[in-house]
Amino acid sequence: ELRRTFFLLASLGVLHAVRRHFAATGTPLPVVLVLEEAGALGLVSPFVLLALQELRKAGLAVHVLTQSTRDFGDPGVFEAVLANTPVQVWHQ
């Protein structure tokens, strides 16, 4: 739980930096945020879902990596991730 909290605090800083840069300059700030084991560690917070919806034009690319779709627990969270990602890649 402590690792998740630290990650969320750090990612919020990144999200706010991208948002502030885009608001100030009108140009995208190319940033890649990688969420490895996103489902199992509960890294897809409401802030991340909002970023997936709003910050693509601001230069943010979020890579959501997970071992299984079942790791997300709540099917609504997984469906929200799928609905807001322009590219999905599946490996078996």
Side-chain angles (χ1 to χ4, degrees):
E1 194 62 30
L2 185 61
R3 286 185 299 180
R4 179 180 185 270
T5 301
F6 282 137
F7 167 78
L8 292 174
L9 290 172
S11 63
L12 278 176
V14 170
L15 300 178
H16 289 309
V18 170
R19 185 176 278 120
R20 280 193 310 270
H21 176 81
F22 189 70
T25 66
T27 60
L29 179 64
V31 173
V32 177
L33 182 62
V34 179
L35 309 180
E36 189 169 354
E37 293 297 332
L41 298 177
L43 301 180
V44 182
S45 67
F47 299 109
V48 171
L49 289 174
L50 187 63
L52 284 170
Q53 294 171 351
E54 295 180 348
L55 295 179
R56 193 174 326 147
K57 66 182 175 205
L60 180 69
V62 180
H63 294 200
V64 180
L65 309 174
T66 188
Q67 293 289 325
S68 170
T69 59
R70 296 181 191 157
D71 286 347
F72 287 91
D74 180 8
V77 171
F78 181 66
E79 289 174 14
V81 169
L82 286 181
N84 292 294
T85 52
V87 177
Q88 290 109 29
V89 179
W90 306 86
H91 297 282
Q92 182 174 355

